[in-house]
Amino acid sequence: MTQVQEEQRRYALAISGGVCEACGKPLVDGHMQAAHRIGNTKMNRAKYGSFVIDHRYNVGYTCSLACNASLDISGEPDAVMRLCAEIYTKEAHILRC
Ligand SMILES: [Zn+2]
């Protein structure tokens, strides 16, 4: 696990309260799945950039593959745009402060 992945994991656990974001079951260390909301595909990386794909807002933690899949918003353009806006607003705010 890279340092960035470790930080993402700690952040996700902190905001999720240690439970699966999709079903609410407790997350078991070593078995949890990092779920990308905008899918981690070559096409999405080309379209939205690694900045968005790897951003902590784009990653949720889930207990299983089924719950992992339920977080995917790749097919919902409105939800994708809202998430991108949230990420850019958050980062722009950090840069201003
Ligand atoms: Zn779950």
Side-chain angles (χ1 to χ4, degrees), residues 20 22-23 63-64 67:
C20 173
C23 74
C63 70
S64 65
C67 286

Side-chain angles (χ1 to χ4, degrees), residues 25-85:
K25 284 185 192 159
L27 292 171
V28 180
D29 213 4
H31 292 282
M32 55 192 207
Q33 312 243 337
H36 287 81
R37 298 178 214 286
I38 301 169
N40 183 16
T41 63
K42 254 189 188 170
M43 202 177 81
N44 283 341
R45 278 191 188 274
K47 194 169 174 182
Y48 303 107
S50 294
F51 174 76
V52 165
I53 300 302
D54 295 330
H55 195 275
R56 63 186 189 277
Y57 284 9
N58 190 44
V59 179
Y61 280 80
T62 55
C63 70
S64 65
L65 270 178
C67 286
N68 185 326
S70 77
L71 256 58
D72 192 335
I73 59 169
S74 301
E76 303 166 44
D78 285 1
V80 168
M81 285 304 121
R82 276 196 302 276
L83 178 57
C84 288

